[in-house]
Amino acid sequence: MYRLSFDLHTHTPYSHGKSTVLDNARAAAEKGLKTLGISDHGPGHKFYGIDMKDIPAMRKDIEEARIQFPDLEILLGVEANIINPSGHLDVSAEEQKNFDYVMAGYHYGIFGEEPVRGFGTIVGGYLHQLTGKSSTRARNYNTDLVIAALYSNRIKMLTHPGDKAAFDIDAIAKACEETGTWMEINCHHNGLSVEGIRTAAEYDVTFAISSDAHLAQNVGVPDAAVNRAIEAGLDLNRIINLI
């Protein structure tokens, strides 16, 4: 039976999670995790991005949870949103200083620097999920968005790569290798997919499993990601937090 040493991708009601920081910490401690990351969505998300004014309250919640679970390291991260051709995230370089680490992923609900094109990009991604079809132009554009973000920021982990739209995982994995960015195998979304894992494994990248928990009961549960990794034939020793 596999378990995680850390889970850096969990959500709380500060974005669209259902369980509190304390709930997530309790679940992490019960499962024997060494480190828990609280990583709600960046402020640019129109529907459930965090309010940067809540950062002190989030820090306070974390400090209170640390008192109850002194053996558990609890970090404040953020899951920033990728949408801008410039590579800028919806968390500015100055705002990133408020967090212990920064992750980033492609999401709907954010329109970025070019709202009209951003809207079209999101619609294209949604249609791809429904039909499995996408133009080469859209695939290249989506890929360029991710690569620009990787080279323009210090991103610890790229969340659910390949999810929500068409992407060139080969090109993205190469960029992750060059930037030292971890590639997530997500338990909540199908990213990396089995084929995506196989493609990324051709590069010298580090893989990490995340629960992407929206409920405390899912914190630290690796099963869905482990099953995909095994199906892909990945050497499980390459997953940094799997024990």
Side-chain angles (χ1 to χ4, degrees):
M1 181 176 179
Y2 296 99
R3 61 187 183 90
L4 300 182
S5 58
F6 61 79
D7 188 353
L8 295 185
H9 190 172
T10 71
H11 293 283
T12 73
Y14 285 106
S15 62
H16 66 326
K18 304 302 181 184
S19 301
T20 65
V21 171
L22 185 59
D23 292 333
N24 286 359
R26 182 178 295 108
E30 290 173 351
K31 293 183 176 75
L33 271 66
K34 295 180 180 179
T35 303
L36 169 70
I38 303 298
S39 54
D40 286 303
H41 282 278
H45 200 291
K46 300 301 181 184
F47 303 110
Y48 39 74
I50 59 171
D51 186 336
M52 294 299 292
K53 294 179 181 178
D54 285 335
I55 296 299
M58 297 176 78
R59 285 284 185 191
K60 184 174 183 290
D61 288 352
I62 288 174
E63 289 303 323
E64 291 174 351
R66 285 171 176 165
I67 292 171
Q68 294 203 33
F69 304 101
D71 295 329
L72 177 66
E73 180 184 35
I74 310 175
L75 303 176
L76 178 60
V78 65
E79 186 183 14
N81 297 291
I82 292 172
I83 194 66
N84 293 323
S86 68
H88 293 156
L89 301 175
D90 66 329
V91 183
S92 69
E94 187 64 28
E95 289 172 332
Q96 290 177 28
K97 297 176 183 177
N98 291 290
F99 302 98
D100 299 318
Y101 62 95
V102 174
M103 308 186 303
Y106 177 93
H107 300 97
Y108 303 148
I110 178 168
F111 306 106
E113 299 162 338
E114 300 179 6
V116 174
R117 186 163 192 179
F119 178 77
T121 301
I122 291 166
V123 170
Y126 184 70
L127 291 175
H128 171 72
Q129 283 197 301
L130 290 177
T131 66
K133 298 178 181 179
S134 181
S135 69
T136 299
R137 182 179 180 182
R139 181 173 180 264
N140 290 343
Y141 182 71
N142 296 336
T143 301
D144 288 345
L145 290 177
V146 174
I147 290 175
L150 289 169
Y151 284 109
S152 301
N153 303 274
R154 295 183 63 182
I155 297 171
K156 188 173 191 67
M157 180 161 65
L158 182 64
T159 58
H160 43 74
D163 186 54
K164 301 185 185 301
F167 297 92
D168 182 347
I169 295 298
D170 188 272
I172 290 172
K174 183 176 185 293
C176 284
E177 176 186 72
E178 293 179 351
T179 58
T181 307
W182 297 353
M183 298 191 76
E184 181 187 65
I185 307 175
N186 187 291
C187 293
H188 186 68
H189 298 284
N190 186 37
L192 287 162
S193 66
V194 170
E195 187 56 39
I197 294 170
R198 288 174 179 154
T199 299
E202 297 296 319
Y203 294 86
D204 184 20
V205 298
T206 296
F207 296 94
I209 287 176
S210 300
S211 67
D212 197 354
H214 294 62
L215 292 170
Q217 66 195 48
N218 296 323
V219 171
V221 178
D223 299 5
V226 170
N227 291 340
R228 291 206 305 277
I230 291 173
E231 184 179 348
L234 180 68
D235 178 357
L236 299 185
N237 289 319
R238 293 185 62 180
I239 302 175
I240 194 171
N241 60 334
L242 189 64
I243 55 178

